[in-house]
Amino acid sequence: SSELTQDPAVSVALGQTVRITCQGDSLRSYYASWYQQKPGQAPVLVIYGKNNRPSGIPDRFSGSSSGNTASLTITGAQAEDEADYYCNSRDSSGNSWVFGGGTKLTVL
Amino acid sequence: QVQLQESGPGLVKPSQTLSLTCTVSGGSISSGGYYWSWIRQHPGKGLEWIGYIYYSGSTYYNPSLKSRVTISVDTSKNQFSLKLSSVTAADTAVYYCARQSHGGAEGGVYFDYWGQGTLVTVSS
């Protein structure tokens, strides 16, 4: 079982705001990073650190953290945002990395 | 633009050793500052970090796989490699190589470049 817990599935109406969460004790000490994965493709980094977006990632993607929970927010979800989203951070030992189980986002 | 490309056999027999190589272009492994990782994804499942290597050769492995994993680097070819021994059907997965970067105080650690992935099937 993963040390980072994500809801398996979330849905959002087109144009609305959705928050995807990731819970784990290590998140009290370390930042999470977030990855978008579409079917048959490699994951793509969308958010890292406190709230940083790589070049080319739309500004509707943002990140935040509080306590043991990291969140990825999509403000004004688009059809192309439908994908699996994974969080990643260090494990509780701080020495290796672990991914959350992933959240399947459906845009209605 | 950094690019990573996995290569290796797509079919491995049970009990044998899985061997994959990741070729990096657009950047030099030996320039330092980055860790080079292997990550896998079982069919229809989530992502699992396998381990990383630094250009100097220092490594760290997922404790759950540590006894079977070896990651090595060849800076002259700008490649790093994965060996996973004593494979079973449970090792059937898409294997990705990725670059791991450090973003400073507010950037954390993250995987910013990924290969396209290669499916390795363990079957007799």
Side-chain angles (χ1 to χ4, degrees), chain A residues 10-104:
Chain A
V10 172
S11 62
V12 61
L14 184 67
Q16 296 304 300
T17 296
V18 62
R19 176 176 292 180
I20 298 170
T21 61
C22 175
Q23 289 187 305
D25 286 342
S26 65
L27 298 178
R28 297 183 185 277
S29 304
Y30 304 106
Y31 287 120
S33 54
W34 290 91
Y35 303 85
Q36 177 193 70
Q37 186 179 36
K38 296 181 179 179
Q41 298 183 17
V44 173
L45 177 69
V46 294
I47 290 289
Y48 64 96
K50 189 173 183 180
N51 181 18
N52 302 291
R53 281 178 292 106
S55 175
I57 300 301
D59 61 5
R60 63 179 179 271
F61 289 88
S62 63
S64 62
S65 184
S66 179
N68 72 335
T69 302
S71 300
L72 172 70
T73 299
I74 307 174
T75 303
Q78 302 299 302
E80 60 264 33
D81 299 334
E82 187 163 287
D84 293 327
Y85 290 85
Y86 294 92
C87 61
N88 173 263
S89 188
R90 295 179 190 261
D91 72 355
S92 54
S93 74
N95 294 320
S96 61
W97 277 264
V98 64
F99 288 90
T103 297
K104 182 177 182 59

Side-chain angles (χ1 to χ4, degrees), chain B residues 51-104:
Chain B
Y52 71 64
I53 191 164
Y54 195 55
Y55 80 98
S56 61
S58 64
T59 56
Y60 198 89
Y61 304 136
N62 185 325
S64 69
L65 297 168
K66 183 178 180 179
S67 64
R68 298 194 293 131
V69 172
T70 302
I71 299 176
S72 58
V73 65
D74 186 338
T75 54
S76 68
K77 295 182 179 179
N78 219 30
Q79 296 174 333
F80 62 106
S81 298
L82 168 71
K83 291 188 184 300
L84 182 66
S85 64
S86 304
V87 297
T88 69
D91 295 308
T92 293
V94 174
Y95 285 78
Y96 296 99
C97 56
R99 189 182 82 168
Q100 193 171 16
S101 295
H102 292 250

Side-chain angles (χ1 to χ4, degrees), chain B residues 13 26-27 35 61 63 68 103 106 113:
Chain B
K13 288 181 167 50
Y35 291 82
Y61 304 136
R68 298 194 293 131
E106 296 193 346
Y113 290 98

Side-chain angles (χ1 to χ4, degrees), chain B residues 33-62:
Chain B
Y34 304 102
Y35 291 82
W36 303 91
S37 281
W38 287 97
I39 295 160
R40 70 180 182 179
Q41 185 170 34
H42 295 104
K45 301 297 184 182
L47 300 164
E48 180 180 30
W49 177 77
I50 297 170
Y52 71 64
I53 191 164
Y54 195 55
Y55 80 98
S56 61
S58 64
T59 56
Y60 198 89
Y61 304 136
N62 185 325

